[in-house]
């Protein structure tokens, strides 16, 4: 492509696919690529028939109003949209800055939740005994694994001899090494 030439006619689906390919070849994790694809899908569902140069903040506000997303989802989507717009500009695709200075909704702090007491943990484990979720519940209680970490956990990551679980965190890749307590074993 010639420097400074802007492609006014690129199809939104082609641009999104190009952006996702860019993420892949630049070494992004599969989870990041899937996350961005998920956030860009509503734009293709709603706006694929319009030139990207015509995408506007009014359209974004209507989309967000219609979808009634959580505060967290709106914040995540806006971040993806800003990166997508920047990528389009860098490769010469005409894309309206439909995000601009749009301020995401403020996240409200969650109510403080008390940790389960030892008695509550015992009752939860007793209730789960024999249920197919018994092991994930025990891993969550005794090893502090998140739902995402539980879904990704494999037997290769469990060292019964050393009494450790060794795995990267699902989202950040930070290495976890929680011990396997006697009840968890």
């Amino acid at each position: 492509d010639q420097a400074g030439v802007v492609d006014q006619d690129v199809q939104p689906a082609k641009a999104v696919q190009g952006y996702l390919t860019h993420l892949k070849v630049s070494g992004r994790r599969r989870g990041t690529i899937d996350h961005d694809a998920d956030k860009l899908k509503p734009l293709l569902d709603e706006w694929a028939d319009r030139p990207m140069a015509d995408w506007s903040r009014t359209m974004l506000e209507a989309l967000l109003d219609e979808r009634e997303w959580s505060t967290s989802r709106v914040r995540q989507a806006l971040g993806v949209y800003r990166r997508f717009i920047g990528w389009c500009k860098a490769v010469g695709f005409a894309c309206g800055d439909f995000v601009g200075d749009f301020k995401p909704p403020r996240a409200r702090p969650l109510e403080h939740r008390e940790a389960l007491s030892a008695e509550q943990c015992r009752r939860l484990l007793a209730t789960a005994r024999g249920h197919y979720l018994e092991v994930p519940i025990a891993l969550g209680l005794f090893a502090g694994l998140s739902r995402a970490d539980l879904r990704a956990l494999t037997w290769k990551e469990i060292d019964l001899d050393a009494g450790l679980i060794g795995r990267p965190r699902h989202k950040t890749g930070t290495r976890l090494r929680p011990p396997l307590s006697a009840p968890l074993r």
Side-chain angles (χ1 to χ4, degrees), residues 86-124:
W87 177 82
C88 284
K89 182 178 179 183
V91 298
F93 291 166
C95 182
D97 185 0
F98 57 95
V99 176
D101 63 351
F102 186 89
K103 300 269 190 279
R106 290 180 153 215
R108 300 186 194 281
L110 294 175
E111 292 181 24
H112 178 68
R113 296 181 191 166
E114 295 292 323
L116 295 179
S117 69
E119 178 56 32
Q120 288 171 321
C121 289
R122 276 192 287 280
R123 284 197 328 247
L124 178 58

Side-chain angles (χ1 to χ4, degrees), residues 154-159 166:
T154 65
W155 276 108
K156 293 187 305 190
E157 298 165 329
I158 299 174
D159 185 347

Side-chain angles (χ1 to χ4, degrees), residues 17-138:
Q17 190 55 52
Y19 172 72
L20 297 174
T21 300
H22 157 74
L23 293 178
K24 181 179 179 184
V25 299
S26 62
R28 299 306 194 287
R29 294 177 187 269
R30 169 84 347 228
T32 301
I33 296 167
D34 292 345
H35 171 268
D36 284 20
D38 177 61
K39 301 303 178 280
L40 290 165
K41 184 179 182 314
L43 301 185
L44 294 178
D45 291 346
E46 300 288 327
W47 306 346
D49 60 337
R50 308 220 22 208
M52 290 190 328
D54 294 345
W55 290 4
S56 69
R57 181 172 171 159
T58 305
M59 292 169 63
L60 174 64
E61 289 171 350
L63 177 83
L64 295 176
D65 184 50
E66 176 184 304
R67 298 285 170 141
E68 296 181 359
W69 287 340
S70 69
T71 300
S72 174
R73 172 118 190 196
V74 170
R75 293 173 92 67
Q76 291 171 7
L78 292 175
V80 171
Y81 300 161
R82 284 186 177 104
R83 289 189 299 275
F84 174 71
I85 292 165
W87 177 82
C88 284
K89 182 178 179 183
V91 298
F93 291 166
C95 182
D97 185 0
F98 57 95
V99 176
D101 63 351
F102 186 89
K103 300 269 190 279
R106 290 180 153 215
R108 300 186 194 281
L110 294 175
E111 292 181 24
H112 178 68
R113 296 181 191 166
E114 295 292 323
L116 295 179
S117 69
E119 178 56 32
Q120 288 171 321
C121 289
R122 276 192 287 280
R123 284 197 328 247
L124 178 58
L125 287 170
T127 303
R129 189 154 319 276
H131 191 273
Y132 78 98
L133 292 176
E134 178 180 5
V135 173
I137 289 170

